[in-house]
Amino acid sequence: MQANTLEEAVSLTKKFTSKPSNDELLKIYSLYKQATDGDNEEERPTGFDFVAAAKYNAWLSLKGKSKQEAEAEYVSLVNKLSEKYI
């Protein structure tokens, strides 16, 4: 089963039978945010919320990537991961 659109890829992630690695999850998250919201303009998380900081930094690392390019990479990544996790 392969996804062709962002929506299909999101649905496909819900069918994963095991959890991807933290690095894979960060990549999925950051590509999704870049594809849907564009560049990260949010305030940097403060304190010791390391998960929020990691997500923020992963998304920030994609600054300048177009929404279309991020969407294509997201769909490609989810298709690749689906071979491993479904």
Side-chain angles (χ1 to χ4, degrees):
M1 177 182 216
Q2 294 281 299
N4 295 310
T5 66
L6 185 70
E7 294 76 22
E8 289 175 2
V10 169
S11 294
L12 196 53
T13 64
K14 293 176 170 60
K15 295 178 181 167
F16 287 3
T17 56
S18 58
K19 184 178 175 186
S21 72
N22 287 339
D23 284 343
E24 290 167 333
L25 289 171
L26 276 175
K27 191 70 176 165
I28 290 169
Y29 170 83
S30 62
L31 285 169
Y32 178 83
K33 291 295 281 180
Q34 190 70 20
T36 57
D37 295 344
D39 288 343
N40 184 350
E41 302 293 339
E42 296 181 1
E43 287 191 28
R44 183 177 296 279
T46 58
F48 293 97
D49 190 343
F50 299 114
V51 172
K55 290 167 81 174
Y56 175 90
N57 290 331
W59 181 16
L60 189 64
S61 74
L62 299 178
K63 187 172 186 131
K65 186 181 294 282
S66 73
K67 287 183 175 185
Q68 294 79 12
E69 189 178 356
E71 180 175 342
E73 287 183 33
Y74 177 86
V75 170
S76 176
L77 176 62
V78 168
N79 282 332
K80 181 177 160 209
L81 293 176
S82 71
E83 297 170 9
K84 192 160 126 179
Y85 296 111
I86 292 183

